[in-house]
Amino acid sequence: MSPRQQAKRRGLVLGAGGVLGASWTIGALAAVEEATGWDPRSAEVIVGTSAGSVLAAFVGSGIGTEQLLNHQRGIIVPGDPVIEYDADSTRSLPQLPRFGLGSTKLLSTVARHPNRITPMAAMVSILPRGRGSLEPVRGLVEAVCPAGEWAPHPNTWVVAMDYDTGKRIPFGRAGSPPAGLSEAVMASCAIPGWYAPVTIGGRRYVDGGACSPTSLDLVIPLDLDEVFVLSPMTSFDYDRPASRMARLERQFRRIVTRRLIREAVKVRQSGTAVVMLGPGAEDLEAIGANLMDATRRTAVLETSLRTSAAALVKHYGDLAAAG
């Protein structure tokens, strides 16, 4: 039976990855829809982290892949919501951060309970607080979902990290603190050292990628048939960049990839099939060293459309060959 003919309970997980990660993810999302005939808006759950949280907000608010592609390409279609980038939201380099430790409370938590905090979260505790404003991100989200409201899709989860405890918070999931969609996305996008923490309900939050690049393991209790994971910080095939910055980025990418693989193993052991897509060598060449370099956005998108489609053909071909 082809993937187009299968009726499955599917989830969608959109990972962290900055401005270019979002462009790559939109290309991958369009490739998934083309390969499977499945509309991502019909997912049982939509989980977004950092840049992926912006896209999760769009999809959860009823924005389809064609509209996302038009948005990236600068195509204006009458009747579609007007979603505009602000120059500050696509800065390729951060402003100088504030002086001093980012979160002394988190550092204290790390000292008292080192095994409960991820290495990335521990590093966040000593990074200085960023100065960048996420108001442009608020504007992006509120173009599709009014201030103070949540996405129409009831299982739209936006992952941030509590800046004092290091705890992962999936806003939108039952039992999590209340928040409007735009402020939750701002919290999820608050890259430590780059953007200022976001306060919600009296607590400060930063980028959910400090806990996990995707938080894929959150879907385990839902007993899904299949989950698509689009993770622009994850790679299974690498280029050989010449610049030192790009080589350092690839090393970090390998660490992130190992984390996602561990989460995928847990999800598969629970009985849910996992389809993972991440940038390959050709995508990485288009991305370069800086995931916030908006000048590369179109090239990354168009490359992802092609490479993601090829990866899905291989995936489903391997499944067919296996039986």
Side-chain angles (χ1 to χ4, degrees):
M1 182 179 293
S2 74
R4 291 181 181 273
Q5 297 172 312
Q6 296 173 347
K8 294 181 176 180
R9 295 181 64 249
R10 284 173 162 141
L12 178 65
V13 176
L14 306 174
V19 171
L20 297 184
S23 298
W24 177 88
T25 300
I26 290 170
L29 196 62
V32 167
E33 184 166 0
E34 175 65 24
T36 64
W38 173 69
D39 188 336
R41 292 173 293 185
S42 68
E44 295 284 329
V45 63
I46 305 166
V47 182
T49 301
S50 198
S53 74
V54 180
L55 300 182
F58 288 165
V59 176
S61 297
I63 303 300
T65 53
E66 183 176 357
Q67 290 172 287
L68 292 174
L69 286 169
N70 287 339
H71 172 221
Q72 286 285 299
R73 290 166 169 163
I75 300 171
I76 299 175
V77 177
D80 283 357
V82 178
I83 306 169
E84 297 183 349
Y85 286 107
D86 182 280
D88 189 58
S89 69
T90 55
R91 292 174 62 98
S92 61
L93 293 173
Q95 301 177 53
L96 289 175
R98 299 181 187 278
F99 179 77
L101 295 175
S103 175
T104 54
K105 288 185 179 180
L106 179 56
L107 183 59
S108 175
T109 301
V110 171
R112 288 183 286 109
H113 309 289
N115 294 330
R116 298 183 188 177
I117 306 296
T118 66
M120 181 64 69
M123 185 178 72
V124 164
S125 69
I126 61 174
L127 287 176
R129 294 182 209 169
R131 293 179 183 268
S133 170
L134 285 159
E135 286 301 313
V137 172
R138 183 195 299 277
L140 287 174
V141 177
E142 291 181 1
V144 300
C145 181
E149 296 187 12
W150 198 255
H153 191 300
N155 276 347
T156 302
W157 298 352
V158 172
V159 184
M161 186 186 81
D162 187 304
Y163 199 32
D164 293 332
T165 67
K167 184 178 180 181
R168 180 172 60 177
I169 304 295
F171 289 106
R173 190 180 71 171
S176 292
L181 184 62
S182 59
E183 60 183 353
V185 171
M186 290 169 66
S188 185
C189 291
I191 302 170
W194 190 307
Y195 295 110
V198 174
T199 300
I200 301 174
R203 299 200 66 84
R204 300 178 304 163
Y205 298 93
V206 293
D207 194 323
C211 294
S212 166
T214 64
S215 285
L216 168 60
D217 55 320
L218 290 177
V219 308
I220 290 175
L222 299 180
D223 193 28
L224 301 171
D225 296 312
E226 185 175 52
V227 58
F228 286 98
V229 187
L230 310 184
S231 179
M233 281 302 302
T234 298
S235 292
F236 303 101
D237 179 33
Y238 289 86
D239 62 344
R240 295 184 177 181
S243 79
R244 177 178 174 81
M245 282 293 294
R247 292 197 300 271
L248 288 173
E249 193 274 350
R250 303 305 186 260
Q251 289 300 318
F252 179 72
R253 183 174 290 273
R254 287 179 168 86
I255 295 171
V256 171
T257 300
R258 289 195 290 271
R259 170 65 189 250
L260 176 57
I261 289 172
R262 290 196 297 270
E263 291 185 7
V265 168
K266 293 178 183 178
V267 174
R268 286 174 174 142
Q269 288 174 342
S270 76
T272 296
V274 179
V275 181
M276 292 188 292
L277 293 180
E282 190 175 352
D283 300 286
L284 293 176
E285 185 176 350
I287 289 170
N290 184 357
L291 283 159
M292 300 297 282
D293 182 0
T295 63
R296 293 173 173 258
R297 197 164 61 204
T298 300
V300 170
L301 170 70
E302 301 300 337
T303 303
S304 176
L305 283 166
R306 179 166 31 82
T307 58
S308 299
L312 287 164
V313 167
K314 183 179 186 303
H315 171 79
Y316 286 112
D318 289 346
L319 286 181

